[in-house]
Amino acid sequence: MVKKLLSFSVFIIILVSIYNLAGKSKDTELKKIAFITLSEVDYETFRGFKKGMETLGWVENKTVKYIIPDAAKTISNLDSIVAKALKEKPDLIFVSSTPATQAVKKAVGDSTIPVVFCPVNDPLSAGILKNTISPEALITGIRPPASDKKRFEWLMRISPNTKNILIPYTPKDDSSKASRADLLKASANHSVTLLEKPLNKEVKIDEYLSDIPNNIDAIFLPRDSNIEVKVEKFSKYAIEHKIPLCVPSYQQVQKGALFAYGFIHYELGYEASEYANKILKGVSPSDLPVKFGDSHLVLNKTTAQKIGIKFNSDSTSSAKVILEK
């Protein structure tokens, strides 16, 4: 009888050990997250995302592994980069920019791989989602705030004598269309002329810049990933011609633009980690509504000095960040 009880006890201990080991294995299973981006500027978005994941308890190479291909840099490179990342069988894809998210959606098709985007300017007009409250696909994420109207107002306050504004844009870019539409509405009650000048893929940026009219007083970059990746060239041109360059995000002010009113990549990425964490723990993306990030005014004091503009107390007191180097 004693032997039977001992045998039974040993059997129970073995079962419990197997159960615990199985549970432990499941809980500590290494999750793979692939990061896809069009522009190198979104590495800062990813840096915020990684920090957020770390704060939430995800340890790189222990509980989570990141698959990080090079930035595509051009839309034509996206499909091959996404295909390569999918061969790694990621548990989740974190993707930045509208074109990159469109490429990811096309590639994942009806698969069960969830996607978190950050940012996508307008997931509805871009054809990524039909419903941002209850996303119908396994896709959700963060969209930047609708800040182009306010950004135009800041341009007029910072440079009140502006009359002719250049708006470079990529033809057929959905984010650019929405951004330019907001700018058109914002400028309706001002005595300014908007010159929308397309930058086609076959035109080199130096050639484009050499063809800008001499009467341009300011450059307004729309939310357009293909244009934003060329921000250093636009910044150099604006400084040489002593005109304001206003941009959608903090990162581009670091590249020499005069100011931004819009999102900060790091902060949006950090916020997106909350959604990735929930999805990896079993929450469906359809239960996670697309969220808006926050807008901030960012000023570049060094660029202002180079082009002969002095920020007034209104702008400096409203700015979240003032860059001086």
Side-chain angles (χ1 to χ4, degrees):
M1 182 69 177
V2 173
K3 288 183 178 180
K4 287 184 178 180
L5 286 173
L6 286 172
S7 298
F8 181 73
S9 298
V10 170
F11 177 70
I12 293 298
I13 290 170
I14 292 172
L15 283 179
V16 170
S17 298
I18 292 173
Y19 177 81
N20 286 337
L21 284 171
K24 185 177 180 181
S25 175
K26 184 177 180 180
D27 290 341
T28 59
E29 179 185 356
L30 188 70
K31 298 293 186 181
K32 295 180 183 178
I33 298 178
F35 173 58
I36 307 294
T37 182
L38 176 65
S39 168
E40 291 177 343
V41 71
D42 281 306
Y43 285 135
E44 187 68 7
T45 310
F46 183 64
R47 192 171 73 86
F49 177 81
K50 279 184 66 178
K51 183 60 179 179
M53 293 295 286
E54 179 185 328
T55 302
L56 291 165
W58 294 91
V59 181
E60 187 171 4
N61 295 325
K62 289 187 177 181
T63 57
V64 63
K65 178 182 177 182
Y66 296 108
I67 303 161
I68 314 170
D70 292 336
K73 295 185 179 178
T74 64
I75 290 177
S76 60
N77 291 333
L78 280 168
D79 288 344
S80 60
I81 287 175
V82 175
K84 186 177 179 180
L86 288 176
K87 288 181 180 178
E88 299 288 333
K89 298 182 179 179
D91 297 286
L92 182 141
I93 297 176
F94 178 57
V95 56
S96 289
S97 84
T98 298
T101 305
Q102 289 171 323
V104 167
K105 180 181 179 181
K106 175 185 173 183
V108 299
D110 296 326
S111 74
T112 58
I113 302 173
V115 177
V116 175
F117 59 73
C118 177
V120 164
N121 291 316
D122 187 351
L124 297 176
S125 65
I128 294 166
L129 290 172
K130 295 179 181 179
N131 188 335
T132 57
I133 304 300
S134 299
E136 73 286 351
L138 292 177
I139 302 175
T140 189
I142 312 294
R143 60 185 298 186
S147 57
D148 286 316
K149 293 180 182 179
K150 187 70 174 179
R151 179 155 60 105
F152 172 79
E153 292 174 8
W154 274 114
L155 173 61
M156 300 309 297
R157 289 157 76 176
I158 289 171
S159 181
N161 295 323
T162 295
K163 297 297 180 185
N164 300 303
I165 304 172
L166 174 72
I167 303 98
Y169 72 96
T170 305
K172 298 183 180 180
D173 184 275
D174 294 306
S175 295
S176 179
K177 289 178 184 177
S179 189
R180 288 182 287 124
D182 284 344
L183 176 58
L184 186 62
K185 293 176 184 176
S187 63
N189 296 323
H190 293 264
S191 298
V192 297
T193 300
L194 305 182
L195 174 61
E196 295 186 315
K197 184 176 173 60
L199 177 52
N200 297 295
K201 61 181 180 181
E202 63 272 12
V203 177
K204 295 185 181 300
I205 181 61
D206 290 333
E207 179 184 343
Y208 179 91
L209 292 171
S210 68
D211 193 42
I212 292 176
N214 294 326
N215 65 338
I216 292 299
D217 302 311
I219 302 175
F220 189 104
L221 295 194
R223 294 177 179 178
D224 183 329
S225 299
N226 296 289
I227 296 296
E228 291 172 41
V229 296
K230 301 173 179 66
V231 68
E232 287 178 282
K233 289 282 189 178
F234 281 106
S235 296
K236 182 180 178 181
Y237 178 92
I239 291 171
E240 287 176 350
H241 290 78
K242 299 188 181 301
I243 60 175
L245 170 66
C246 63
V247 292
S249 70
Y250 168 77
Q251 292 301 108
Q252 292 136 16
V253 178
Q254 289 184 311
K255 299 288 187 180
L258 178 65
F259 81 93
Y261 184 78
F263 62 94
I264 295 178
H265 288 79
Y266 184 93
E267 290 189 359
L268 288 191
Y270 191 98
E271 188 172 2
S273 67
E274 296 181 11
Y275 271 11
N277 174 60
K278 290 179 179 179
I279 291 170
L280 291 175
K281 291 183 176 179
V283 176
S284 171
S286 62
D287 293 328
L288 301 172
V290 174
K291 294 196 294 185
F292 280 96
D294 295 321
S295 289
H296 304 285
L297 178 64
V298 180
L299 307 175
N300 189 323
K301 193 173 181 180
T302 301
T303 295
Q305 291 171 345
K306 289 180 179 179
I307 68 174
I309 281 183
K310 185 176 181 179
F311 294 123
N312 58 30
S313 58
D314 179 32
S315 57
T316 53
S317 62
S318 300
K320 181 179 178 69
V321 181
I322 299 177
L323 302 179
E324 299 194 41
K325 290 184 181 180

